[in-house]
Amino acid sequence: MRRAARRGGRHSPARAHSLKYQLLNPATGALLAKGRLLGIQFDTLFTDGLYERIGKDAVRYADAIRRAMAKNGYLPCFPSPTNQSFCIVSEQQRKALAERVDFSVWEQYDETHSIIRFATSWATREEDVNALCRILRECAAQEKVAS
């Protein structure tokens, strides 16, 4: 392989860094197809406001989740005008919620609290948001009874 590299063979470092070689090499030719496919997807998403239309419900549902968190005493972490909702929960709250719903633990806030994230998408259903809001209410009520 060293001889091939010295003579500019197929494993030559000079050829490996050539954009033309990377795009036309059969081993990496899929890069062209993937790039074209992503371009078509983005073009379609940003035509006639499609991206905004399919994201509108996700943001509306996230707003409903944020209202339910505030109403039930969950501490907001920071405002988010997007499809993501963040709040600070105790370890007991995190464990109780984890038994019933999926969420991301964003980061440890301090020794006894975590920041968690709920995210909605174009595929989120209203009944799922309503169920989450009910679970947030029930877990908050259980915490009040326990303390």
Side-chain angles (χ1 to χ4, degrees):
M1 205 147 42
R2 288 185 182 187
R3 283 189 205 148
R6 276 190 228 127
R7 289 183 297 191
R10 58 182 263 223
H11 298 291
S12 164
R15 274 185 100 179
H17 294 292
S18 160
L19 180 61
K20 182 178 176 183
Y21 174 77
Q22 290 177 3
L23 295 178
L24 299 179
N25 179 3
T28 60
L31 180 64
L32 283 174
K34 288 178 185 174
R36 180 172 168 76
L37 181 61
L38 285 172
I40 292 168
Q41 288 174 335
F42 273 99
D43 184 46
T44 302
L45 273 173
F46 293 112
T47 301
D48 299 327
L50 177 62
Y51 182 77
E52 289 83 9
R53 278 197 321 272
I54 64 176
K56 189 176 285 187
D57 283 341
V59 174
R60 185 169 56 88
Y61 292 151
D63 286 339
I65 293 168
R66 283 189 282 274
R67 284 192 302 274
M69 289 189 303
K71 185 177 178 180
N72 292 292
Y74 294 92
L75 299 172
C77 183
F78 44 84
S80 174
T82 68
N83 65 320
Q84 302 178 77
S85 304
F86 300 87
C87 67
I88 301 168
V89 294
S90 68
E91 289 307 303
Q92 296 86 353
Q93 288 174 316
R94 184 186 60 75
K95 288 175 184 174
L97 287 169
E99 291 176 3
R100 300 181 65 187
V101 296
D102 290 329
F103 55 85
S104 301
V105 176
W106 196 251
E107 67 181 49
Q108 194 69 29
Y109 183 73
D110 61 23
E111 298 80 31
T112 59
H113 295 83
S114 297
I115 299 172
I116 63 171
R117 175 184 74 124
F118 294 100
T120 58
S121 77
W122 60 269
T124 301
R125 300 177 309 169
E126 187 169 10
E127 55 264 26
D128 295 330
V129 173
N130 293 337
L132 173 59
C133 293
R134 186 186 78 253
I135 291 167
L136 288 170
R137 184 176 58 249
E138 290 169 359
C139 286
Q142 286 176 354
E143 172 117 354
K144 287 179 184 176
V145 169
S147 57

